[in-house]
Each structure stands twice: as structure tokens, then as C-alpha cells.
Amino acid sequence: MKTLVDPDRALVNGLAAIRREFQVPASFPPAVLAAAEAAVRRPPAEHVDRLDVPFVTLDPATSTDLDQAFWIEPSNGDLLLRYAIADVAWFVTPGDAIDAEAWQRGETMYLPDGKAGLYPPIIGERAASLLPGDPRPAVVFAVRVAPDGAATLDGVERAMIRSRAKLAYATVQPRDLPPTFEELARRIAAAEARRGASRVDPPEQQVAADADGGFTLSFRPRLASEDRNAALSLATNLAVADLLLAHRTGLFRTMPEPDASAVARLRAIAAATGIDWPADLSLRAFERGLSPTGAADAAMMTAIRRAGSGASYTPFRPGETPWHAAMGATYAHATAPLRRLADRYVVMAALALANGRAVPEPIAAAFETLPPVMARAGARQGQIDRAVLDLAEAAMLRPRIGETFRAVVIDADRGRARIQLCDLPVLARVAAEDVAAGDPITVRLTRADPDARRIDFEPVPAA
């Protein structure tokens, strides 16, 4: 972690500029706020009582928009995951003012100095958020996980729940969690390995506000508690996807495998950085063997993530099986409706189908129109993330102008090369002749300008 000194307010002013550039909304229109105030007064009327289930939540410590609460219990050799998802649809009706605003946003937008929620805070951070203490309306998925990790839906219901505790990734203790929490995660991971899936994430390069009002730039590896918690969402999303596919409807997350040329470039990068990649080992198997705690492995994982075309949303199409290569399965997003617009529709479709009803027409129609909305929102968040990192990198590297760094060429064309720094997950472009993907290269930092959010390098001739 590096504390970013900001005496001239370059970071503060830069973040304000990013908000203006990407039109990050500062608040909600009065009509939306008024509709939200009315919506939270609507008493739950279709929810069974599940207040006796000792649900807990597990999230980053500062989170207030809590989508998921869970409990796990043994069931004849299986594990029964009760996964409660915020019942956003109880407060938001397709076509109302809140819904229309959510379609404009697509997803919650995050910046280090605050977020722009998908829904007004009175819904997203209070009435619908599964905060501990008071009863909350939820959609509870009963997911049965077999000893081999296969996940199937036992049922879906609207229910009133009460979270017993708001747990945090960094501080949670085994005694805080259901006794079978780790076993469920182990089963899901074993099933992933059999499918040839890859859910290995590189350390996140992130900019965060600190307690003193400044900012830090850090490379945060995922914690074990975070990965195990992700297994709960994974199991639920896989089971929901199977339900949708069986009923020939739905909205899926799809991702193709990197093509042969991308894999060849990745093999060259591995060779140049001294990472062994046997010729008979697939990309997914190779990726699972990388460790996010090593600098070279972390850089390799970042390169792999950037080599693919990324995931997208795809509605059901007759004769086609939606496929997510990284998951090695048909996959859907249903577990974060407070933060992603599409999840609310997938949750409502699953609730209907699991109870023998047809998917309501407004929900089914939305599956066709949601993909471009979600793609636009995802692209904007990606641009915001990149702009924030560019700003922070320039601020961090400004005192290091003139220093040299080891790097690897990722690709090269017409006298320009895209490089990955070996010791930092930083991508940059540099003018370089006679280089090819995988070549090691030494570069010198010549510019680091926070106002322009720009860093420049030049190649250093070999001695």
C-alpha cells in the first residue's frame, strides 16, 4: 500500500474532473426520491416468515448496500444453502420513476470518494439492504449442494428475514460463520476444477479513501473469506442459470475462450517472465496454478484477464447453449440486484419459474433490451476505473520520473509496443522498434502528469 501525498489537491480535483467527464450523477431527481419515499412505506404482503433462520452477511466492512445474506445447514449428505437476496422488486415496479432512473444508470458507479447508487439510498442502503437487526423482505433461494459440488435449486420464495450479523472479510472469524461454510466452498471449488473452470483473480489495484481524508493506492489480494463467500453466489447463479435454461428463457453471462493468437501471446509473456507453462497444459489449468501473492504471477494473471474479450449479457436463443468459458458452465447473474439492474429481472424470473408460473411479460421483454444497457454501464465503470487508476499512477510515479523499470512486451505493431511492468500491474504504450510479444524490455519513466492522467515511458537501450 502506498499513501498518495496530495498537497496540491491533484487527486481531489482529478476525481472531481472524472465525475464531470463521465457524468456521474451526484443525486437523484426529486420525482425519483419521492417515489422511493412512497415505496418504502409499502408493507410486505407476499413474504413468508423466515425470521428464525440465523442469516448473516459477509461483505467489505464499509458496505451498506447488502445484497446477500446466508445460512447453511446439512441435509442428508448435501449442504442446503439458504441464500437471501434483497427483494428490490418489492420496492421497484417496471416502468415507474425509480425503475426508469435505474435503466439510465444500469449499475452502481464506484469511485474512491463515494458511489452513485443504482437506487436511492432510502432503498439501496436502508429498506432493501439486508442490514442486521430489523426484518427485511428478501427472495430466498434454497440451493442444494451435493458432495461433488453440483448445485441445484430446491426452491425460491419471498420471505421476511433478519440478519444476525454484518460480517467483514478482513475480520470475520470461523466461529462467526455457519459450521459448514468452508466445506461448501470446498465442494464448489472441487466442482470448478472438474469443469476446468477458472475463478482465479489477480490482486486488485485500487484507490481508496483513508481515515485521514487522503487516498491510498494498493494492490489488494483477495482474502480467503472473500473467495469462499463468492462460492455461495457462484453456486446460486449456476443453479439459477440451469433453471432458466431448462425453461428456455432468461438472461445469461457469456464469455468466449481467448483465441489462439491471444494464448500464443500469453505463452510468450510467461516465458519472458520466467513462469513455467508446460506445452500440454491448458490456459485454464495454467491460470489455476498461479499465485496472486507473487509479483510475476500477479502480472501474468492481469495479462490473462486482459487477453480475453470479456463477459457479456446474452438472452436465451433457441438452439444455442449460453456458455461462460471462465466458469466452464452456463451462468447467470442473480445475486446483486442492489448494484446491477439485470439481476432484479433474473431474480423475478427465477421466482416465477420455481413456483410453476410463467415469467411475467415485462420481465421476459427486458431480457432482450437489457444487454446494451448493461454493456454501456459496464463500459462506463471500466472507463472510470481506468481513469482513477491513471490518475493515481501518475500521482504515485510523479516523484520517480527518470527511473527505469523492467517490463514485458504484450504486443507490438508498427513501431509501438504495449508493455506490462514486471513489478507493478501497470500497462503502458511505448515507441519501440524490433520487439515482439514476450520480449523483455527496460523502460524509463519520462512523464507522470496527474492533470492529464498520463504516464509515458521510453525504451532504454541494452548495455
Side-chain angles (χ1 to χ4, degrees), residues 108-201:
T108 295
M109 288 167 270
Y110 293 94
L111 286 93
D113 56 350
K115 67 189 175 191
L118 179 59
Y119 299 104
I122 194 172
I123 292 176
E125 299 180 58
R126 280 180 270 173
S129 180
L130 302 182
L131 295 162
D134 294 332
R136 291 288 194 278
V139 177
V140 179
F141 292 82
V143 182
R144 183 170 293 275
V145 181
D148 65 357
T152 54
L153 273 181
D154 256 18
V156 186
E157 62 182 5
R158 272 184 151 146
M160 295 301 295
I161 72 156
R162 179 186 289 114
S163 171
R164 268 39 176 194
K166 180 179 183 289
L167 307 175
Y169 293 136
T171 57
V172 65
Q173 299 297 315
R175 64 177 179 273
D176 301 327
L177 296 162
T180 51
F181 179 74
E182 289 189 22
E183 170 61 15
L184 187 144
R186 186 201 64 76
R187 291 185 182 189
I188 297 301
E192 286 184 279
R194 284 193 299 274
R195 294 196 310 269
S198 173
R199 190 166 50 92
V200 181
D201 291 310

Side-chain angles (χ1 to χ4, degrees), residues 48-345:
V48 298
D49 185 334
R50 294 288 181 257
L51 297 177
D52 60 330
V53 180
F55 287 103
V56 296
T57 62
L58 181 57
D59 296 273
T62 58
S63 294
T64 53
D65 48 351
L66 308 185
D67 288 290
Q68 311 115 9
F70 61 90
W71 189 249
I72 307 164
E73 55 199 49
S75 178
N76 297 321
D78 296 338
L79 295 176
L80 189 63
L81 166 65
R82 299 189 186 278
Y83 209 44
I85 305 300
D87 191 357
V88 182
W90 188 254
F91 303 98
V92 183
T93 302
D96 70 10
I98 310 168
D99 183 53
E101 180 68 15
W103 276 78
Q104 290 296 317
R105 298 184 181 215
E107 62 181 43
T108 295
M109 288 167 270
Y110 293 94
L111 286 93
D113 56 350
K115 67 189 175 191
L118 179 59
Y119 299 104
I122 194 172
I123 292 176
E125 299 180 58
R126 280 180 270 173
S129 180
L130 302 182
L131 295 162
D134 294 332
R136 291 288 194 278
V139 177
V140 179
F141 292 82
V143 182
R144 183 170 293 275
V145 181
D148 65 357
T152 54
L153 273 181
D154 256 18
V156 186
E157 62 182 5
R158 272 184 151 146
M160 295 301 295
I161 72 156
R162 179 186 289 114
S163 171
R164 268 39 176 194
K166 180 179 183 289
L167 307 175
Y169 293 136
T171 57
V172 65
Q173 299 297 315
R175 64 177 179 273
D176 301 327
L177 296 162
T180 51
F181 179 74
E182 289 189 22
E183 170 61 15
L184 187 144
R186 186 201 64 76
R187 291 185 182 189
I188 297 301
E192 286 184 279
R194 284 193 299 274
R195 294 196 310 269
S198 173
R199 190 166 50 92
V200 181
D201 291 310
E204 289 185 26
Q205 186 181 10
Q206 65 176 15
V207 182
D210 62 27
D212 299 323
F215 297 93
T216 57
L217 176 64
S218 63
F219 302 95
R220 184 185 69 83
R222 287 171 65 91
L223 300 169
S225 59
E226 192 173 357
D227 281 331
R228 290 167 184 157
N229 191 51
L232 310 187
S233 285
L234 176 63
T236 305
N237 286 329
L238 289 171
V240 168
D242 287 344
L243 174 70
L244 297 175
L245 187 61
H247 286 83
R248 300 170 59 82
T249 187
L251 185 66
F252 302 88
R253 290 292 276 166
T254 56
M255 175 188 282
E257 291 279 4
D259 61 26
S261 61
V263 173
R265 287 195 298 272
L266 291 171
R267 284 189 173 276
I269 294 169
T273 52
I275 301 175
D276 181 43
W277 184 351
D280 61 348
L281 194 65
S282 70
L283 170 62
R284 295 304 173 196
F286 168 69
E287 186 178 6
R288 287 197 300 274
L290 297 173
S291 169
T293 60
D297 281 17
M300 188 74 229
M301 293 165 74
T302 301
I304 292 171
R305 170 172 284 188
R306 289 166 171 163
S309 57
S312 58
Y313 286 88
T314 304
F316 173 79
R317 293 283 181 262
E320 300 178 8
T321 300
W323 195 252
H324 195 295
M327 297 297 177
T330 299
Y331 186 67
H333 268 169
T335 56
L338 287 173
R339 290 171 282 172
R340 293 187 301 247
L341 171 66
D343 291 40
R344 168 160 53 97
Y345 290 82

Side-chain angles (χ1 to χ4, degrees), residues 310-393:
S312 58
Y313 286 88
T314 304
F316 173 79
R317 293 283 181 262
E320 300 178 8
T321 300
W323 195 252
H324 195 295
M327 297 297 177
T330 299
Y331 186 67
H333 268 169
T335 56
L338 287 173
R339 290 171 282 172
R340 293 187 301 247
L341 171 66
D343 291 40
R344 168 160 53 97
Y345 290 82
V346 173
V347 167
M348 287 298 97
L351 179 63
L353 295 173
N355 289 283
R357 303 190 299 269
V359 176
E361 191 280 331
I363 305 298
F367 291 150
E368 295 295 327
T369 52
L370 276 165
V373 173
M374 299 307 297
R376 183 172 62 250
R380 178 164 62 172
Q381 183 64 59
Q383 292 168 337
I384 289 171
D385 291 344
R386 186 65 256 169
V388 169
L389 288 173
D390 287 345
L391 170 66
E393 287 172 349

